[in-house]
Amino acid sequence: MDTGSREVLDLLGGFVVRVSGPGLRGGSGFFAGRGLVVTCAHVVALPPERGGRATAGRAQATWRGGHAEGTVVALPPTHSGEDLWTPPDLAVIQLDEPVPDHPWIPMAAQSPGLGQRLYAAGYSTVYERTPRLGVSAVEYEGPQEFDGTGQVFLQLKNGELAPGKSGGPLLDLERGEVCGVVTTTRRENLDMGGLALDVSTIRAEFPELWQANKAPNPLDTELWRLRAALQHEYAPGGVLSLREEEMLLRSAQRCGLAPAALYWRSVHRDYGEPSGPLDNMADVLREVADAPAMLDGPHPLLMFIRQVADAAPPKGVGPLTRLIGLVAHRLGVSAPPPTAGLSVASSDRVAAISVHLDAQGPDSEHYFLRVWKYPDVNEPPYAVLCDDRPLTLAEAQEQFRAVVPPAVGDLAEISSNVLMEFALPAAKLSAVDVDSWYLSQSWAPVSRQYPVVLRVLDRKLETYPSWTARWRRLRHGCLDGGPATMDWVDCHSDMRPEQFYARLQQRPALSVLALPFSPDATERQHVLETALYAGIPVAVWTRAGCSAQCRLRRTPGQDERATSGADEASGACAGVDFRDAVDAELASSSIGNLPELIMKLRVDAATATSPGHCGENVVLLWDDATRKLPGDGPALRVPQHTAQGGQPS
């Protein structure tokens, strides 16, 4: 059945024309260029004569605000028999000059997708004596070849293609284009769909018309208004008038957020990916209007308006705030409160890919792989992959290379700052070399493309108070007891775990611990484990460096750098060299920028002229205690952002 509000039909009347003339069968058509109307050949057909029919040389077009006559070019110009008109059943009416300015609809360069919802517009006399403009929703079933002729049509179902709609446009609202020309119905007056001619036939048969269709449209605002109106006519959240929508979209275009970023800020994190591309704010508005509201959050359309209002200049806040109240009333829900700390500068926004490798057991070589993406690290993540199969590291890397590049591409639309985080059990932090993982080129590991950090999947709950306090000192600066500090572990110390733990407890300001050796070194395996239990959130170490076999000792109170001649003769300590090099880099940087600094060291190591650069095997644990991972466990936070949120539950 024909549908469409008066507002939609009024707009549609500027694009869709009624084709008529003395003795003509008549029907519908649409503007495809200035003064150019596309319709079907059988629409401009004259009465039958001697078993055949011919098309007229002239026809009339009537549309909202205009009426004109023009010359007809039809393919084919004649037809024999009572069956469907011989393909391609296409005609173009060149209207006589002068023709007043009018908008036209762009034609699609590709066919619609299977199952896609489309809209057929045209005039019919099914329900009234006077031809009436209507629009029907149909579904694309697939291509249909016409009786072995090679002519392919678009097969449609469900909607009513009433007599008189022949020649009218088949609209693809996802792209705001015409994808077909309605030709016939399956059965009159029933919702059974029919056939439409693919616009690729227009490109093949009338190339000059196709070029004219691509010319600048003098009234493209009308096209935008029609597209928006049709989208919201059929959307569940169609609660905005055109005037309200125009105001909202103008404000959204000025808010400073990328369309994709505004979408992710508006929808519930469990809603998922948009149904189509988010090329502009109108696309986002369509998506959030169609998205369902969740039980634990406001409607996405309201969140869209709220985000725009919070980013608007003071003089623009009032109308948007009133609109929030109106839309909330129409939806029968409460208005969402202002969002705290909305940042609209895309250069300051940090996105992240979070990769979790959860081992089956402490000694297992198989892992469960989980991947999430954070469009903004201050907001909830969205699942990319949750693989419940136990994978070897090689299989996990293969999955990583398959799913992460598209996710990174999505985030690139939102932020140029992308962080790569790998969450592992504490026992696997140093054993699994994720720094060497790559996306597509083995010579370009992710650790040289993005800041790569580790975090812990299995911190013990009783460590949360100390862990949270140390992290907040690092992120917020000076608290009671002084600012956050960084310290190195003596690679020659034989301090027992209970002594080391007590020493860390005596230093609540210590937030960054640096190890000049690998935590896997046999005699020092307790060091990282003890540090994590003491709540240390950040750690730097080297997978090379000083090993358990290094016996270079110093006397108590002696500086490691002041080695004796005998020491020098036996060779310098690699752990001390690593410490000196990292300290030198930190002299001109802040410990709050460690992810970026460590990435720089990894890049510098690749161009070093001699082996042993401190960035060759450097590892960074950067673990935010104030945020949680999907599932359980705390989530990572990026250095440039101030941590928000309270004690993890």
Side-chain angles (χ1 to χ4, degrees), residues 440-516:
S440 60
Q441 303 296 337
S442 60
W443 40 261
V446 290
S447 59
R448 295 181 197 148
Q449 284 184 288
Y450 310 98
V452 170
V453 298
L454 299 184
R455 37 159 330 181
V456 187
L457 278 174
D458 53 355
R459 287 207 188 231
K460 298 186 181 301
L461 293 177
E462 63 265 30
T463 68
Y464 275 44
S466 175
W467 179 22
T468 303
R470 292 179 192 271
W471 176 265
R472 286 178 172 165
R473 193 182 302 275
L474 174 66
R475 301 309 304 136
H476 293 280
C478 185
L479 301 174
D480 293 340
T485 61
M486 171 179 172
D487 198 9
W488 287 83
V489 176
D490 181 359
C491 66
H492 309 300
S493 171
D494 289 328
M495 191 175 295
R496 298 188 306 275
E498 60 269 26
Q499 292 176 308
F500 184 47
Y501 177 75
R503 179 183 174 187
L504 294 176
Q505 290 294 84
Q506 290 173 340
R507 304 181 62 187
L510 181 61
S511 296
V512 183
L513 195 67
L515 315 179

Side-chain angles (χ1 to χ4, degrees), residues 17 31 33-37 58-63 67-72 92-100 102:
V17 307
F31 281 115
R34 182 182 294 278
L36 297 171
V37 172
R58 304 280 292 175
Q60 299 170 357
T62 304
W63 67 97
H67 176 83
E69 187 174 336
T71 303
V72 175
V92 173
I93 306 172
Q94 172 70 65
L95 299 180
D96 299 336
E97 295 291 347
V99 176
H102 59 81

